[in-house]
Amino acid sequence: MSAELDALTVVNQLRDLAADPLNRRAIVEDQGCLPGLILFLDHPNPQVVYSALLAVRYLAECRANREKMKGELGMMLSLQNVMQKSTSPGETKLLASEIYEILQLAGKEEAEQAEAAAASCQRKAHFFLGSNNKRAKTVVLHIDGLDDSTRRSLCEEALLKIRGVISFTFQMAVKRCVVRIRSDLKAEFFSLQALGTAINSTKVMTAQQVVKTEDGGELILPFQEDSAVLVEENTDIPDYLPEEESPSQETDKAVTRVGSITDGVGWLSTAANFLTRSFYW
């Protein structure tokens, strides 16, 4: 197995582990994983860089992680390099910029907590951070048929093809997918219907939009059936690993389930050993 494929395997596994809120503190506290992710931000393969950014953004969703992440050697500089690099795809730059802004605010939040108490309650309704970022907005999908990792992979492939999608994460226990999309796209380039069309195109799953009501409840809205809606392919983001090479297919390295952190933490040792062998000599 090549060194680059090893890097892809490790960074994608870290990304999937970081998607589980139960794993985020352990990953940041590990002595090898966070420094390794920072080094992946400078990797020559854009696919590795984007996957590492997704992992870092997941980790930054945990408020307790932000101060340590901001102070980690090379973190802020590497994010700046990604943002300024002329060869970085547009969506990659946008994601790096958002993470940079989130970490820049670390340490200032406590001082502003009392003043922003009312606004904070509203922000907690959003699954993703950066809800105040005007360049991105969040859409919550309820996906019937989202039952296992195979169908999750089908969803990932479908969503990655949609222009304007920045990132997404799954809540498998409740069959939800939270999608972050660019808010500066004109209507002719993106419509919410495209999300439903993409999921429905898998033939084994259907999507509905989840919206908040004024009284704090949830309302599930079906997407209109419209065969004329075309999904414009996103060519800015590098492809993920082909399914036959995806580490999520390996039963001995399965992504931890919500409510179980043991396997995920155990895998961190394997990842840390790889990072140590690859980067520290």
Side-chain angles (χ1 to χ4, degrees), residues 40-280:
F40 281 139
L41 296 179
D42 295 320
H43 199 279
N45 185 342
Q47 181 180 342
V48 173
V49 174
Y50 188 77
S51 193
L53 283 171
L54 283 175
V56 172
R57 185 188 59 75
Y58 285 136
L59 297 177
E61 289 180 12
C62 177
R63 291 181 180 272
N65 284 343
R66 295 179 203 169
E67 192 68 35
K68 179 176 176 60
M69 292 174 66
K70 179 182 179 181
E72 189 71 31
L73 181 65
M75 172 65 80
M76 303 304 282
L77 181 61
S78 294
L79 289 172
Q80 286 181 318
N81 289 340
V82 174
M83 292 156 53
Q84 297 169 1
K85 189 179 297 184
S86 60
T87 56
S88 295
E91 304 295 348
T92 298
K93 289 182 178 181
L94 184 61
L95 185 55
S97 175
E98 181 182 1
I99 296 169
Y100 186 88
E101 292 174 8
I102 291 172
L103 296 184
Q104 277 285 74
L105 294 175
K108 301 178 182 178
E109 293 175 349
E110 291 184 3
E112 300 173 354
Q113 186 173 5
E115 181 181 348
S120 176
C121 293
Q122 183 177 359
R123 284 196 299 271
K124 288 178 182 178
H126 295 271
F127 185 83
F128 282 102
L129 296 174
S131 59
N132 292 330
N133 190 333
K134 295 180 180 180
R135 293 171 298 178
K137 61 182 178 180
T138 302
V139 178
V140 181
L141 301 178
H142 178 81
I143 303 177
D144 291 321
L146 183 62
D147 300 324
D148 52 39
S149 59
T150 300
R151 294 194 175 185
R152 168 178 166 165
S153 296
L154 289 176
C155 282
E156 290 177 347
E157 292 177 1
L159 292 173
L160 281 170
K161 295 178 182 179
I162 303 176
R163 179 179 179 181
V165 170
I166 299 173
S167 58
F168 45 81
T169 192
F170 293 89
Q171 299 170 313
M172 298 295 290
V174 291
K175 299 184 179 182
R176 296 283 174 89
C177 178
V178 187
V179 185
R180 295 187 62 259
I181 59 178
R182 294 181 59 169
S183 60
D184 57 354
L185 288 178
K186 295 181 180 179
E188 59 265 31
F189 295 120
F190 180 85
S191 68
L192 290 179
Q193 177 64 31
L195 297 175
T197 300
I199 299 300
N200 294 347
S201 69
T202 64
K203 306 299 185 183
V204 292
M205 290 173 286
T206 56
Q208 298 171 293
Q209 184 181 2
V210 181
V211 297
K212 289 286 184 180
T213 60
E214 293 182 357
D215 59 1
E218 289 186 349
L219 183 63
I220 297 180
L221 303 176
F223 289 105
Q224 295 181 353
E225 294 291 338
D226 187 355
S227 59
V229 173
L230 297 178
V231 177
E232 182 168 355
E233 185 167 349
N234 183 0
T235 58
D236 247 356
I237 301 178
D239 294 333
Y240 277 9
L241 280 174
E243 287 302 311
E244 62 270 16
E245 298 177 1
S246 172
S248 63
Q249 299 296 321
E250 302 177 23
T251 56
D252 59 332
K253 296 182 181 178
V255 179
T256 56
R257 297 179 182 176
V258 174
S260 174
I261 192 173
T262 305
D263 294 338
V265 173
W267 190 87
L268 292 180
S269 298
T270 303
N273 290 336
F274 168 82
L275 295 169
T276 300
R277 292 196 311 270
S278 301
F279 299 115
Y280 299 97

